[in-house]
């Protein structure tokens, strides 16, 4: 599915021109004449970015960024600005916008900014999917395997983990091997990095039956 570029501008002629340029790059577009129209649109979960005029009938680029943040929308924002609005555009970049383009926007500048923003969003979505897959693997572990993972990735030796859990060292090795296989960890270093990335690892490995 091609990236989706949102164009937020109250100038219909400019929206049409930008749509043509972006579709020539094989991007899909959605056009919005105001912040409200953008916020009300069904945006889905697709890689892309938001190309927004710094001044709109119902606010400015900073307002849009604030409302996106409040709703958890993380697509990169590119600000389009007139010469008199550069100071506002700089403030927008400090608030998280990834670039700003001065009108009249040069085709090459637009292409460069959008390509960079889309690549950034694709990386964000890829990392989110990787994190979700890691959580799915962790959820497949048994309670005992989670306890072993917590201890071993915290630096305990097998015999130390065995003592803490009142198990034999051989049993610890069995759980460790099974847990690493389920997590698809090739090395102990891989496993430790995975444990660091989990959002809710076991905190207190109390003995289980």
């Amino acid at each position: 599915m091609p990236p989706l570029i949102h164009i937020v501008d109250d100038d219909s002629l400019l929206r049409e021109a930008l749509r043509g340029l972006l579709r020539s790059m094989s991007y899909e577009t959605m056009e919005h004449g105001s912040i409200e129209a953008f916020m009300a649109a069904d945006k889905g979960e697709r890689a892309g970015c938001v190309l927004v005029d710094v001044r709109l009938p119902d606010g400015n680029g900073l307002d849009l960024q604030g409302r996106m943040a409040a709703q958890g929308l993380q697509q990169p924002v590119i600000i389009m600005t007139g010469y008199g609005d550069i100071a506002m555009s700089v403030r927008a970049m400090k608030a998280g916008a990834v670039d700003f383009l001065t009108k009249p926007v040069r085709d090459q500048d637009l292409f460069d900014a959008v390509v960079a923003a889309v690549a950034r969003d694709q990386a964000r979505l890829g990392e989110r999917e990787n994190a979700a897959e890691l959580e799915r693997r962790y959820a497949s572990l048994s309670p005992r395997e989670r306890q072993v993972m917590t201890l071993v990735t915290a630096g305990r030796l097998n015999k130390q983990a065995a003592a803490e859990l009142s198990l034999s060292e051989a049993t610890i090795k069995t759980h460790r091997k099974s847990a690493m296989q389920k997590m698809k960890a090739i090395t102990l270093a891989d496993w430790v990095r995975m444990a660091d990335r989990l959002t809710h690892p076991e905190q207190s490995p109390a003995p289980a039956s």
Side-chain angles (χ1 to χ4, degrees):
M1 186 177 295
L4 177 63
I5 313 302
H6 293 274
I7 303 168
V8 189
D9 198 299
D10 61 337
D11 184 336
S12 60
L13 293 178
L14 180 59
R15 291 199 306 269
E16 183 177 349
L18 291 172
R19 178 175 67 241
L21 286 171
L22 292 166
R23 291 192 174 181
S24 74
M25 300 169 65
S26 299
Y27 292 131
E28 289 189 8
T29 63
M30 287 183 68
E31 296 84 51
H32 318 275
S34 66
I35 293 174
E36 287 296 337
F38 169 76
M39 297 305 299
D42 181 6
K43 291 172 279 296
E45 284 292 330
R46 292 174 59 179
C49 67
V50 181
L51 191 60
V52 57
D53 193 352
V54 74
R55 292 189 183 275
L56 293 160
D58 53 351
N60 57 48
L62 287 166
D63 297 327
L64 179 135
Q65 286 174 269
R67 293 187 61 178
M68 288 179 64
Q71 291 196 13
L73 301 176
Q74 299 179 357
Q75 293 99 332
V77 174
I78 300 170
I79 300 289
M80 296 181 294
T81 177
Y83 287 107
D85 296 321
I86 291 179
M88 184 185 295
S89 298
V90 171
R91 292 199 300 274
M93 290 192 70
K94 289 181 178 179
V98 298
D99 206 344
F100 75 88
L101 305 173
T102 303
K103 294 180 177 179
V105 179
R106 294 177 60 248
D107 291 357
Q108 190 60 52
D109 291 340
L110 175 72
F111 293 165
D112 292 344
V114 169
V115 166
V118 167
R120 176 171 173 164
D121 203 39
Q122 288 171 329
R124 175 184 68 84
L125 293 175
E127 177 58 29
R128 188 174 71 179
E129 176 54 34
N130 289 341
E133 173 59 24
L134 188 63
E135 295 289 345
R136 286 192 288 268
R137 293 177 193 172
Y138 182 73
S140 74
L141 302 185
S142 70
R144 180 64 86 189
E145 287 167 345
R146 294 184 189 185
Q147 291 173 337
V148 171
M149 179 176 177
T150 297
L151 291 172
V152 173
T153 58
R156 307 292 204 285
L157 299 175
N158 288 338
K159 63 181 180 181
Q160 293 173 319
E164 290 194 40
L165 297 176
S166 300
L167 298 171
S168 70
E169 191 171 344
T171 300
I172 292 293
K173 289 180 180 179
T174 298
H175 287 309
R176 173 174 171 166
K177 180 179 179 181
S178 175
M180 289 183 69
Q181 289 176 339
K182 289 180 181 179
M183 294 296 295
K184 299 185 179 179
I186 304 301
T187 66
L188 177 58
D190 290 337
W191 209 24
V192 170
R193 284 191 289 269
M194 290 176 181
D196 287 342
R197 291 177 58 201
L198 289 167
T199 58
H200 49 73
E202 294 286 314
Q203 297 298 318
S204 54
S209 58

